[in-house]
Amino acid sequence: SKPSEKIVVATAANVQYVMKEIQQEFEKESGKKIEIVVASSGKLTTQIREGAPFDVFVSADTKYPEEIFKNGGSDLKPEVYATGALVLWSKDIPETDLNPQILATGQVKKIAVPNPKTAPYGEAAVQALNALKLYEQTEKKLVYGESIAQTAQYITTGSVEAGFNALSIVLSPEMKGKGHYILVDSSLYKPIQQAAILLKHSETSPKKESSEAFYKFLYSPKAKAIFKRYGYK
Amino acid sequence: MEIDFSLPGNSILALTGPSGAGKTTLLRQIAGLAIPGSGRVTFGQNQWLDTANGIHLPAQQRHIGFIFQDYALFPNMTVMQNLEFALTRNRNTELVGHLLETAGLTQLADRKPHQLSGGQQQRVALARALVREPELLLMDEPFAALDPDMQLQLQDLLLKLRRERPFTVILVTHDMGEIFRLADQVAIMENGRLTRIGTPGEVYLNDKIEGLLVYGEVLTLERNNETLTIHAWIDGKIRQLDIPSHLETQMQPGTRFTLHFGAGNSEIRVLKT
Amino acid sequence: MEIDFSLPGNSILALTGPSGAGKTTLLRQIAGLAIPGSGRVTFGQNQWLDTANGIHLPAQQRHIGFIFQDYALFPNMTVMQNLEFALTRNRNTELVGHLLETAGLTQLADRKPHQLSGGQQQRVALARALVREPELLLMDEPFAALDPDMQLQLQDLLLKLRRERPFTVILVTHDMGEIFRLADQVAIMENGRLTRIGTPGEVYLNDKIEGLLVYGEVLTLERNNETLTIHAWIDGKIRQLDIPSHLETQMQPGTRFTLHFGAGNSEIRVLKT
Amino acid sequence: MTIHPFIHSLIQTKLDFQPLLLTFKLASITSILLLVIALPIAYWLVFGKFKGRGVVEALIGMPLVLPPSVIGFYLLLAFSPSHWFGALIEDWLGLRLVFSFQGLVIASILYSLPFMVYPIRAGLQSLPASLREASYTLGKSEWQTVVKVLIPNCKPAILTAFVLTFAHTVGEFGVVLMIGGNIPGVTKVASVAIYNEVEALNYPAANAYALVLFAITFIILLLVYSINNRLLRVRQPA
Amino acid sequence: MTIHPFIHSLIQTKLDFQPLLLTFKLASITSILLLVIALPIAYWLVFGKFKGRGVVEALIGMPLVLPPSVIGFYLLLAFSPSHWFGALIEDWLGLRLVFSFQGLVIASILYSLPFMVYPIRAGLQSLPASLREASYTLGKSEWQTVVKVLIPNCKPAILTAFVLTFAHTVGEFGVVLMIGGNIPGVTKVASVAIYNEVEALNYPAANAYALVLFAITFIILLLVYSINNRLLRVRQPA
Ligand SMILES: Nc1ncnc2c1ncn2[C@@H]1O[C@H](COP(=O)(O)OP(=O)(O)OP(=O)(O)O)[C@@H](O)[C@H]1O
Ligand SMILES: Nc1ncnc2c1ncn2[C@@H]1O[C@H](COP(=O)(O)OP(=O)(O)OP(=O)(O)O)[C@@H](O)[C@H]1O
Ligand SMILES: [Mg+2]
Ligand SMILES: [Mg+2]
């Protein structure tokens, strides 16, 4: 199909691994082509507001899609397609020793978290540290990654001794087997809900129908199963 | 600077005077490269500058040739290209070859300026200024870095070109021979003013000095057979002179004397101290 | 280039010859600014260059003064700073003031080079080269852009400084008067070779002449009855001389000649051009 | 025979060459257009008579001061059809600058302006005044003087400006990502592709892209500098 | 009285000045250190005898070619204590380069190298050879010649280099973001702060930061250029 008829899916960076598989599955099922454009949720939101030619926006949280909805970028309210899980991850500390308490000890000099201002996993990590009453002891050790991917780089290159990240990243094929991780108790942070939104199309748009189809597919059991394999709930 | 002079058409004016007098500045003002606080410049029928009436013809339209004291050759062009750059459309392209030839530059036509000696650069600057067949040629010490032969050759070229097609020349120079050889008029500039202007004869020959007097001081005196030889300090240097033997008693070490070249005879006169 | 010459210590050599002959190149090689393909340079007891033995003393250690044809003043420094830059520690700081004074630069001490006229720049270059009290002074047309008075004045300064502290000078010049006034030896360079070397008399008159030779150039010639009167440019002044009438055909304007003061008689000899 | 795993992974990576082509297309167009724009600006800064040159000079440097993605953000706002400027361009030229190649070119030009202007300005400033004057006395117009005399005589400066601009546009991605929207074949240049691969934690692909970009640009610069060094050898009299 | 909402939101924004201070500290230190490093490199590129200069010249330009965040990524690998280089530095100097101000300085120096070297190189290249030679004949060492003659006489080029480097370091954020880790007071510079605010869709704060950064740098550049224009006025004989 022509490029102009491809569905363009704006995808938050940390969902891109799953999206690849979703894309394959959808293309197989529907015969329609998808183009995935990856950037941070904030950038994509700004671009959508300024008229970027995207059809569906798959965000890493609920805040950005709601912002778009409020600004009239869509007729449909955003919907949560998956809920993420937070992990504590380290390159060198063995799984048996890995627990939140170790962060307060001298063994850990730096802790990487995604920027809590922009990344939902970062927000969750800070919530968890607070809930464990570890925040004050560890605040000085925190370094902030611009994105979940950058935080993963800090951890896997050994630039920090440990850090928080998304289960989906740890399970991704690229990161498999790099270091050790434990799941953080999900009661310690608010659920990390990730929402998508179907962007406005004119009635005559050739892509209107296929975009709707893709949007629907995101919430299908087939997609759910893929999300699950990547550690989403 | 306060300058006021006019010049008959197609004549050669030599501009001379002490270093820093303002010769280059005057030349630049005539060329339109510098603008005086106030003043007027007229060439033939054309008003080039009149500060009172806000007239200021840019250098490009004055149809002049200018030879800079530092040559100002274009470093990116070869000698040939420097000359060709000066060509206007519909102009005599043969002139370029002719000028190169006369200035002895044919062999160097493909060199860049930084591959030339000082005198070669000066010749290129001269040739380049002539390519345009200017009506007024302004030259800032154009022959200073040249050997006497080349000087004569280029001065002859200049005179020859003026015979073929008359044009006016203003030339800054310090060389008296050049002034007498080339100039119809000479102007002496001092401290930003023209102190004298006239033909070389008018300007200089009233001030002439009769004969030549050279001062000296005896250092040693020696007699060899008939001849008397002294070493003397003359004109800043030690020189050996043979002198008439009757001067022996007068010319003892320490004596000051003059040598006088007069009408065919030299004389030695002892100075009283 | 094929050059082979030696020079008595503390003498003045004038290097002359047509434009492009290689004078500047030779000077640069002596200074260590250019390296010849092969050759040797010795100064006094010191080996400066010996390509066969891989000896090459850098310019800094040759203790020379060099006056560039384009002056090479430092644009970022004032006149004073240009001179002070040349001072070595433990050196005569009074000399700077003295040199400024003699070169007529005291008033201009705070100017930058681009605010100076051509001749003023040349004087700064000369003064700067002398600050270091070099043992060998290499000068590339150092007086070319100066008026005759200033030329004489600076030539006198040079001679005076040499009287106080002898040093060797090699000087590129095209000015015959300068050669006769200053040079102990003159070398003519043509096409990269020294074609002649000797005293000015030997070189220009083919005569091993002793005594005083004064150089002149005929400006005008006049016959009044029996006497033949010339105006000539001699030693920086226009002088009127009466000359033997048989010289009429030879002493046309433009002729270069010498006055020789020998054994009681002066002689006029015409120079070949 | 054993192959280092890094090289192995490089060989195995299938590269998409479109972003690379797009990069060099963008860099070439930007550099050439910018040269044309920057020359008169630099000339005016050096030889112009206007008093407020210092202000303009400082303003030209401003694109350097803000992070690229922030400049991209402001350009996005300005280029967007809902802004008067974007609307104007769309009305007049029928061109939408956001998410289009033309928009990238304009953004890159704005962003790289100081890289082109400043070095050329410095080059023109250090030419001796007599070169210009000599050309004027030969009857040449200001334009001829600039083209035939001034520009050829500050080649090292212009070369520096061009190289800085070219290389900088190759490496630029903040602005491009923001107003380009990462659309394959249109605005997805190599730097964005590398960024994406790194973000996707797909290091072998990122390395491969980086290596190719590096190698091509290195060869270009090497050629440029070798030619330059041959042409502009420091003067050494024979 | 009504106030434009943009200005209103600016006034209401409480700015954290620490990132701004940190930015100018980083930019100053980087520019000064880089000047010291770049001068000998540029000198050697122009006057050195070594054949392979073209290669070195091209290599110096390479930091421009890769997207900053990618350079940051490679630097992160190198600086990390698990890499031999990072380990060496930590062992020898007790300095961890990742997430430290020192690391930012080193990264900025590497990243801005071409901005400093290239213009200075072009400036040195266009000086007449006789200046150097004159200094040598006056018995001055190579060092004295460089310091007293060559550097003062290519001021416009050095100024350009300095301004480009300074402004570029102010605006740089890709590398800084990557190896700095965004730590308040240590590595969170203004450009990163602006970036964060834009990402968080907190535009008034971003605008306020951008404006302050803009204003301060504008004033600095304006001063620099005014002084420069006064000092280096194009030669106009009286
Ligand atoms: N960089 C260069 N490359 C090639 N040839 C050069 C270079 N510099 C000088 N030459 C040539 O070398 C020869 C000697 O030059 P040099 O400057 O030594 O002459 P000169 O005797 O000083 O002449 P002048 O009296 O005109 O200054 C000239 O023919 C000149 O063209
Ligand atoms: N840019 C400048 N700023 C200030 N004074 C200057 C400037 N240029 C020249 N001058 C001064 O103006 C006076 C006249 O200079 P000009 O160059 O016209 O002299 P000149 O007669 O050509 O001397 P020369 O024979 O030495 O070349 C000199 O005293 C010089 O110092
Ligand atoms: Mg003059
Ligand atoms: Mg010479």
Side-chain angles (χ1 to χ4, degrees):
Chain A
S1 56
K2 282 192 223 149
S4 60
E5 286 169 12
K6 274 188 188 172
I7 311 164
V8 182
V9 181
T11 307
N14 69 357
V15 226
Q16 58 179 311
Y17 322 97
V18 208
M19 282 308 288
K20 266 186 231 155
E21 211 166 317
I22 301 248
Q23 173 188 16
Q24 280 167 11
E25 201 57 39
F26 176 75
E27 283 177 353
K28 209 159 60 186
E29 198 181 282
S30 67
K32 302 229 159 63
K33 285 281 178 208
I34 298 181
E35 192 73 68
I36 291 181
V37 169
V38 182
S40 69
S41 300
K43 246 184 225 103
L44 292 170
T45 305
T46 311
Q47 289 173 338
I48 287 164
R49 282 189 6 183
E50 302 307 330
F54 302 151
D55 299 301
V56 178
F57 174 31
V58 182
S59 173
D61 66 358
T62 52
K63 194 176 89 190
Y64 292 107
E66 260 154 29
E67 186 78 24
I68 288 170
F69 178 67
K70 260 198 289 180
N71 277 290
S74 174
D75 298 329
L76 285 173
K77 260 175 118 38
E79 275 181 68
V80 174
Y81 60 87
T83 304
L86 186 69
V87 297
L88 180 60
W89 189 11
S90 168
K91 180 168 178 262
D92 295 320
I93 301 172
E95 212 169 316
T96 45
D97 294 350
L98 202 59
N99 60 66
Q101 305 305 326
I102 202 174
L103 300 178
T105 67
Q107 197 182 342
V108 174
K109 296 199 185 86
K110 291 282 181 206
I111 306 158
V113 295
N115 190 343
K117 260 184 144 173
T118 48
Y121 287 90
E123 214 177 333
V126 172
Q127 284 164 4
L129 285 174
N130 270 320
L132 291 164
K133 308 238 172 333
L134 287 171
Y135 186 70
E136 275 173 23
Q137 291 153 269
T138 55
E139 195 188 352
K140 285 262 174 306
K141 300 182 180 178
L142 296 184
V143 302
Y144 303 96
E146 176 214 353
S147 62
I148 196 104
Q150 197 180 80
T151 315
Q153 284 155 15
Y154 288 163
I155 298 165
T156 55
T157 58
S159 303
V160 295
E161 283 75 16
F164 290 95
N165 220 284
L167 181 59
S168 61
I169 299 281
V170 182
L171 294 179
S172 71
E174 284 85 0
M175 289 296 110
K176 246 191 192 128
K178 294 205 170 162
H180 320 281
Y181 72 93
I182 57 162
L183 277 169
V184 176
D185 184 350
S186 64
S187 65
L188 296 175
Y189 56 90
K190 275 193 232 144
I192 305 166
Q193 293 185 322
Q194 309 198 158
I197 189 164
L198 177 66
L199 300 170
K200 235 185 202 163
H201 287 79
S202 66
E203 283 306 318
T204 55
S205 165
K207 294 200 282 181
K208 185 172 164 51
E209 201 182 317
S210 49
S211 303
E212 278 168 5
F214 176 74
Y215 187 64
K216 222 177 249 155
F217 181 78
L218 264 185
Y219 300 93
S220 69
K222 248 189 191 148
K224 280 256 148 57
I226 297 171
F227 281 123
K228 193 149 200 174
R229 250 192 294 127
Y230 275 85
Y232 290 98
K233 274 187 287 208
Chain B
M1 289 205 334
E2 273 179 55
I3 302 284
D4 184 11
F5 73 99
S6 60
L7 204 63
N10 301 334
S11 62
I12 299 184
L13 171 74
L15 191 61
T16 188
S19 166
K23 304 179 293 297
T24 299
T25 308
L26 179 60
L27 230 53
R28 290 174 56 83
Q29 289 175 351
I30 296 173
L33 297 175
I35 307 171
S38 67
R40 293 197 301 133
V41 177
T42 318
F43 183 77
Q45 306 301 321
N46 308 321
Q47 196 81 14
W48 278 1
L49 180 82
D50 188 349
T51 48
N53 294 312
I55 296 176
H56 175 243
L57 203 71
Q60 286 100 324
Q61 291 166 32
R62 297 195 181 190
H63 210 84
I64 51 171
F66 197 107
I67 300 175
F68 289 78
Q69 216 166 353
D70 70 349
Y71 317 142
L73 301 180
F74 304 126
N76 58 314
M77 304 182 194
T78 62
V79 169
M80 177 64 106
Q81 288 164 345
N82 262 282
L83 265 69
E84 282 174 347
F85 181 70
L87 273 180
T88 330
R89 255 161 311 164
N90 323 323
R91 287 258 165 201
N92 193 349
T93 47
E94 275 171 32
L95 186 62
V96 170
H98 181 57
L99 285 168
L100 280 178
E101 176 109 30
T102 327
L105 293 168
T106 314
Q107 306 256 331
L108 306 173
D110 294 329
R111 294 256 187 106
K112 292 277 177 77
H114 71 93
Q115 297 172 314
L116 299 177
S117 77
Q120 289 164 343
Q121 290 180 31
Q122 198 165 44
R123 284 181 270 158
V124 178
L126 177 67
R128 189 181 65 179
L130 290 172
V131 166
R132 225 189 146 206
E133 304 196 314
E135 289 163 15
L136 172 62
L137 183 61
L138 301 164
M139 312 204 277
D140 208 347
E141 309 188 25
F143 309 115
L146 299 173
D147 56 293
D149 286 347
M150 187 53 73
Q151 274 183 27
L152 280 178
Q153 208 172 311
L154 292 182
Q155 287 165 4
D156 286 347
L157 169 68
L158 186 70
L159 295 174
K160 187 174 148 231
L161 288 172
R162 288 183 72 253
R163 262 195 312 268
E164 292 166 5
R165 187 187 63 82
F167 54 91
T168 306
V169 176
I170 302 181
L171 144 108
V172 174
T173 180
H174 296 300
D175 185 322
M176 197 61 71
E178 204 164 290
I179 294 174
F180 274 85
R181 217 170 309 127
L182 294 181
D184 302 311
Q185 299 268 310
V186 57
I188 298 187
M189 194 160 184
E190 270 164 301
N191 268 323
R193 288 157 183 275
L194 289 189
T195 51
R196 298 179 77 177
I197 183 163
T199 64
E202 284 165 13
V203 169
Y204 289 111
L205 296 186
N206 297 323
D207 273 358
K208 72 200 171 221
I209 296 166
E210 304 265 335
L212 172 66
L213 270 183
V214 182
Y215 296 86
E217 184 177 339
V218 180
L219 299 173
T220 64
L221 176 86
E222 230 172 281
R223 168 174 288 283
N224 290 320
N225 305 326
E226 292 304 282
T227 58
L228 202 59
T229 304
I230 60 166
H231 282 96
W233 186 261
I234 302 173
D235 232 14
K237 302 200 73 172
I238 297 169
R239 324 253 180 187
Q240 184 181 326
L241 292 182
D242 292 340
I243 59 171
S245 49
H246 69 268
L247 288 175
E248 180 166 8
T249 48
Q250 292 170 55
M251 294 293 272
Q252 291 301 313
T255 311
R256 289 152 186 240
F257 60 92
T258 60
L259 296 172
H260 182 224
F261 290 86
N265 271 314
S266 66
E267 269 182 280
I268 295 181
R269 298 181 190 204
V270 176
L271 295 179
K272 275 166 248 149
T273 41
Chain C
M1 286 202 340
E2 272 179 56
I3 303 284
D4 185 10
F5 74 99
S6 60
L7 204 63
N10 301 333
S11 62
I12 299 184
L13 172 73
L15 192 60
T16 188
S19 165
K23 304 179 295 296
T24 300
T25 308
L26 178 60
L27 230 53
R28 290 173 55 83
Q29 289 175 351
I30 296 172
L33 297 175
I35 306 170
S38 67
R40 293 196 302 132
V41 177
T42 318
F43 183 77
Q45 306 301 321
N46 308 321
Q47 195 82 14
W48 279 359
L49 180 83
D50 188 349
T51 48
N53 294 313
I55 296 176
H56 174 244
L57 204 69
Q60 286 102 321
Q61 291 166 32
R62 297 195 182 191
H63 210 82
I64 50 170
F66 198 106
I67 301 176
F68 288 78
Q69 216 167 353
D70 69 351
Y71 317 142
L73 301 180
F74 304 126
N76 59 313
M77 305 182 194
T78 62
V79 169
M80 178 64 106
Q81 288 164 345
N82 261 282
L83 265 69
E84 282 173 348
F85 180 70
L87 273 179
T88 329
R89 257 161 309 165
N90 323 323
R91 286 258 167 202
N92 192 350
T93 46
E94 274 170 32
L95 185 62
V96 170
H98 179 58
L99 285 168
L100 279 179
E101 176 108 30
T102 327
L105 294 168
T106 314
Q107 306 256 332
L108 304 175
D110 294 329
R111 294 256 187 105
K112 291 278 178 74
H114 71 91
Q115 298 172 314
L116 299 178
S117 77
Q120 289 164 345
Q121 290 181 31
Q122 197 165 45
R123 283 180 271 157
V124 178
L126 177 66
R128 188 180 67 179
L130 290 173
V131 166
R132 223 189 148 206
E133 304 196 313
E135 288 163 16
L136 172 62
L137 184 61
L138 301 163
M139 313 204 277
D140 208 347
E141 310 188 24
F143 308 115
L146 298 173
D147 56 292
D149 285 347
M150 186 54 73
Q151 273 184 28
L152 281 179
Q153 208 172 309
L154 292 182
Q155 287 166 4
D156 285 349
L157 170 68
L158 185 71
L159 294 173
K160 187 173 150 233
L161 287 172
R162 288 184 72 251
R163 210 161 23 190
E164 291 166 6
R165 187 187 63 81
F167 54 91
T168 305
V169 177
I170 301 180
L171 147 108
V172 174
T173 181
H174 296 300
D175 184 324
M176 209 71 90
E178 205 164 289
I179 295 173
F180 279 92
R181 207 172 314 122
L182 295 181
D184 301 310
Q185 297 269 309
V186 56
I188 297 189
M189 194 160 183
E190 271 163 301
N191 269 322
R193 288 158 184 275
L194 287 189
T195 50
R196 298 179 77 178
I197 183 162
T199 63
E202 283 166 9
V203 168
Y204 290 108
L205 301 170
N206 271 326
D207 200 346
K208 222 180 156 71
I209 271 178
E210 305 261 305
L212 177 63
L213 275 177
V214 181
Y215 169 84
E217 183 177 342
V218 179
L219 300 174
T220 66
L221 174 88
E222 235 172 276
R223 168 173 287 283
N224 290 319
N225 306 325
E226 291 305 282
T227 58
L228 202 58
T229 305
I230 60 167
H231 286 100
W233 181 248
I234 304 173
D235 231 13
K237 297 260 160 28
I238 293 176
R239 314 199 186 247
Q240 184 177 334
L241 293 181
D242 293 337
I243 59 169
S245 49
H246 70 268
L247 286 175
E248 179 166 7
T249 46
Q250 292 171 53
M251 294 293 272
Q252 293 299 314
T255 309
R256 291 140 196 261
F257 61 91
T258 57
L259 295 172
H260 175 219
F261 189 87
N265 271 314
S266 67
E267 270 181 278
I268 294 181
R269 297 184 183 211
V270 174
L271 295 178
K272 275 167 265 155
T273 43
Chain D
M1 204 181 85
T2 54
I3 300 175
H4 190 282
F6 177 76
I7 295 169
H8 187 76
S9 69
L10 272 187
I11 295 169
Q12 287 227 312
T13 309
K14 279 210 197 69
L15 272 193
D16 178 5
F17 278 93
Q18 204 176 42
L20 289 165
L21 282 179
L22 206 58
T23 287
F24 288 105
K25 185 174 150 199
L26 178 65
S28 312
I29 294 179
T30 301
S31 307
I32 291 168
L33 287 180
L34 198 48
L35 184 63
V36 174
I37 296 168
L39 277 169
I41 297 179
Y43 180 82
W44 176 78
L45 284 178
V46 176
F47 299 111
K49 294 269 184 288
F50 178 53
K51 283 263 171 214
R53 273 179 303 164
V55 176
V56 178
E57 237 156 348
L59 272 180
I60 287 169
M62 287 298 110
L64 281 171
V65 170
L66 293 183
S69 64
V70 175
I71 296 182
F73 169 65
Y74 288 122
L75 286 180
L76 183 66
L77 293 187
F79 286 1
S80 137
S82 58
H83 189 268
W84 67 262
F85 177 80
L88 199 82
I89 297 283
E90 191 152 345
D91 278 3
W92 281 14
L93 306 177
L95 209 68
R96 182 171 284 197
L97 294 182
V98 276
F99 314 116
S100 70
F101 185 75
Q102 290 89 337
L104 287 197
V105 171
I106 293 182
S108 300
I109 285 178
L110 281 175
Y111 182 53
S112 290
L113 195 61
F115 296 96
M116 198 58 107
V117 173
Y118 283 168
I120 296 182
R121 185 187 142 287
L124 285 175
Q125 206 173 40
S126 58
L127 286 179
S130 64
L131 287 188
R132 251 172 100 224
E133 296 174 345
S135 176
Y136 289 169
T137 62
L138 294 172
K140 299 301 164 185
S141 65
E142 198 163 349
W143 170 249
Q144 285 170 306
T145 305
V146 170
V147 172
K148 299 274 184 69
V149 176
L150 300 187
I151 291 178
N153 284 307
C154 56
K155 261 189 232 138
I158 292 177
L159 186 83
T160 296
F162 199 88
V163 165
L164 282 176
T165 304
F166 187 89
H168 188 246
T169 309
V170 168
E172 214 303 287
F173 92 108
V175 174
V176 165
L177 191 60
M178 197 60 158
I179 72 154
N182 203 351
I183 301 165
V186 181
T187 59
K188 186 178 178 182
V189 296
S191 58
V192 172
I194 300 179
Y195 174 76
N196 280 341
E197 299 296 354
V198 171
E199 277 295 293
L201 307 179
N202 187 3
Y203 302 145
N207 286 336
Y209 271 121
L211 206 70
V212 174
L213 206 60
F214 217 79
I216 297 177
T217 321
F218 179 75
I219 291 169
I220 294 176
L221 293 199
L222 190 62
L223 281 177
V224 165
Y225 279 114
S226 304
I227 293 168
N228 173 48
N229 281 342
R230 201 145 305 156
L231 290 180
L232 295 159
R233 221 183 279 284
V234 182
R235 303 170 183 189
Q236 288 290 6
Chain E
M1 206 182 82
T2 55
I3 300 175
H4 190 284
F6 177 76
I7 295 169
H8 187 76
S9 70
L10 273 188
I11 295 168
Q12 286 228 312
T13 310
K14 280 210 194 68
L15 272 195
D16 178 4
F17 277 94
Q18 204 176 41
L20 289 165
L21 283 179
L22 207 59
T23 287
F24 289 105
K25 185 174 150 200
L26 178 65
S28 313
I29 293 178
T30 301
S31 306
I32 291 167
L33 286 180
L34 199 47
L35 184 63
V36 174
I37 296 168
L39 277 170
I41 297 178
Y43 180 83
W44 176 77
L45 285 178
V46 176
F47 299 111
K49 295 268 186 291
F50 178 54
K51 282 261 172 214
R53 274 180 301 164
V55 176
V56 179
E57 239 157 347
L59 273 180
I60 287 170
M62 287 298 112
L64 280 170
V65 170
L66 293 183
S69 62
V70 176
I71 296 182
F73 174 64
Y74 290 125
L75 286 180
L76 183 71
L77 288 182
F79 285 1
S80 131
S82 58
H83 188 269
W84 67 262
F85 178 79
L88 200 82
I89 298 283
E90 192 153 344
D91 278 2
W92 279 15
L93 307 176
L95 206 70
R96 184 174 283 199
L97 293 180
V98 275
F99 314 123
S100 70
F101 185 75
Q102 290 90 334
L104 288 197
V105 171
I106 293 182
S108 299
I109 285 178
L110 281 176
Y111 183 52
S112 290
L113 195 61
F115 296 96
M116 198 58 107
V117 173
Y118 283 167
I120 297 181
R121 185 187 142 288
L124 285 175
Q125 205 173 39
S126 58
L127 286 180
S130 65
L131 287 187
R132 250 172 102 224
E133 296 174 345
S135 176
Y136 289 168
T137 62
L138 294 172
K140 300 301 164 184
S141 65
E142 197 162 349
W143 171 250
Q144 285 170 307
T145 305
V146 170
V147 172
K148 298 274 183 69
V149 177
L150 300 187
I151 291 178
N153 284 308
C154 56
K155 263 191 230 135
I158 292 177
L159 186 83
T160 295
F162 200 88
V163 165
L164 282 176
T165 304
F166 187 90
H168 188 248
T169 310
V170 169
E172 213 304 287
F173 92 110
V175 174
V176 164
L177 193 60
M178 191 61 143
I179 70 154
N182 207 348
I183 302 167
V186 181
T187 59
K188 186 181 179 180
V189 295
S191 57
V192 171
I194 302 180
Y195 175 78
N196 282 340
E197 299 297 353
V198 171
E199 279 293 294
L201 308 184
N202 188 4
Y203 300 146
N207 288 336
Y209 271 120
L211 207 70
V212 174
L213 204 61
F214 219 77
I216 296 177
T217 322
F218 179 75
I219 290 169
I220 295 176
L221 292 199
L222 191 62
L223 281 177
V224 165
Y225 278 116
S226 305
I227 293 169
N228 173 49
N229 282 341
R230 200 144 306 156
L231 289 180
L232 295 159
R233 221 182 279 285
V234 182
R235 303 171 183 187
Q236 289 290 6

